[in-house]
Amino acid sequence: MQQTNFFYLLIALLIVLVSIPLADDLDIARLPVVRALIFSGLLIVGVWSLRGGGRFFATGMTFVVVGVALNVLAVNIDSAALQHAASLALVGFLLVAIAYTLRQVVIGRDINANRLVGAICVYLLLGMIWAMSYSLVDAMSPGSFAGFSPMADRGWDSEWLYFSFVTMTTLGYGDILPVSATARGLAYMQAVVGQFYIAMLVAGLVGAYIGSHQQSGERK
């Protein structure tokens, strides 16, 4: 399996994380065309980063085709159900991207910029997956969260991203709160996964650094 350049994926993720709040402030995030562009752009650039990944690329491409098709249909016929299905396709793609990126990041002992970027991508992907999961939970059970009025089309609302990353970093501002049991379960699972990922990442990087120096010392 060839080494992937994760800079493209990182750029796509950063653009999405910046463009969604800006679109909300400009009051254009609720326009179906804007959501479709953000959604499709992330999928297309994301799947491009999986090229050369064998079955990961094939699986990711399947989610991309299904997700883009569902999103186009949802925009044309204004269907909330299709929009939620498209969100599920995005979650599936993000899971594939995480699995592939983790495999690339953990293999090998050398520490380079691409490996560090891949580790950052995994952290951002985790935050986006939980944000989409929160939106789907609230769509299926309105009122699962307190702090904003429940809406059926909040799938790309910046508040979900905000709540997701605030939870994962355990900041806990308390302005948005999980109310239902499912929402609370997702929240504490994200907090645990976020902290363990950081701990495991630091331990792995330290181990790789020590291993590389030991190898260089043996060669001398």
Side-chain angles (χ1 to χ4, degrees), residues 1-218:
M1 181 181 293
Q2 66 182 33
Q3 188 69 25
T4 299
N5 188 336
F6 291 112
F7 284 92
Y8 298 109
L9 181 58
L10 178 62
I11 292 173
L13 291 171
L14 292 177
I15 289 175
V16 169
L17 293 175
V18 171
S19 62
I20 292 177
L22 287 177
D24 275 346
D25 286 340
L26 296 174
D27 202 24
I28 60 175
R30 306 189 193 285
L31 296 178
V33 175
V34 174
R35 293 190 180 191
L37 288 175
I38 295 175
F39 179 94
S40 301
L42 175 61
L43 287 176
I44 292 172
V45 177
V47 77
W48 175 255
S49 69
L50 301 183
R51 67 190 187 282
R55 66 179 182 277
F56 290 99
F57 178 77
T59 306
M61 180 62 74
T62 301
F63 280 117
V64 167
V65 173
V66 172
V68 172
L70 289 173
N71 198 54
V72 171
L73 289 174
V75 170
N76 289 331
I77 66 178
D78 193 20
S79 171
L82 288 177
Q83 185 62 54
H84 297 328
S87 297
L88 286 175
L90 175 58
V91 171
F93 170 76
L94 294 177
L95 289 173
V96 172
I98 285 179
Y100 177 71
T101 306
L102 274 177
R103 182 173 180 179
Q104 292 283 322
V105 169
V106 299
I107 293 177
R109 292 186 174 182
D110 58 317
I111 300 178
N112 51 50
N114 187 59
R115 189 176 179 184
L116 294 176
V117 169
I120 296 172
C121 287
V122 171
Y123 191 78
L124 298 180
L125 287 168
L126 287 172
M128 293 193 66
I129 284 180
W130 254 279
M132 298 300 298
S133 300
Y134 292 137
S135 69
L136 290 171
V137 168
D138 194 65
M140 292 184 292
S141 179
S144 294
F145 295 85
F148 51 76
S149 57
M151 297 179 61
D153 60 346
R154 276 189 177 271
W156 278 111
D157 197 301
S158 61
E159 286 185 291
W160 292 122
L161 290 173
Y162 164 77
F163 176 71
S164 176
F165 283 99
V166 165
T167 301
M168 190 159 63
T169 55
T170 65
L171 287 175
Y173 289 127
D175 49 351
I176 300 176
L177 299 173
V179 176
S180 69
T182 302
R184 289 176 175 176
L186 282 174
Y188 67 66
M189 286 174 60
Q190 183 180 19
V192 171
V193 170
Q195 295 306 301
F196 267 97
Y197 177 76
I198 295 297
M200 293 174 63
L201 175 63
V202 172
L205 292 176
V206 171
Y209 179 80
I210 294 176
S212 63
H213 273 259
Q214 287 178 344
Q215 285 185 349
S216 61
E218 292 175 357

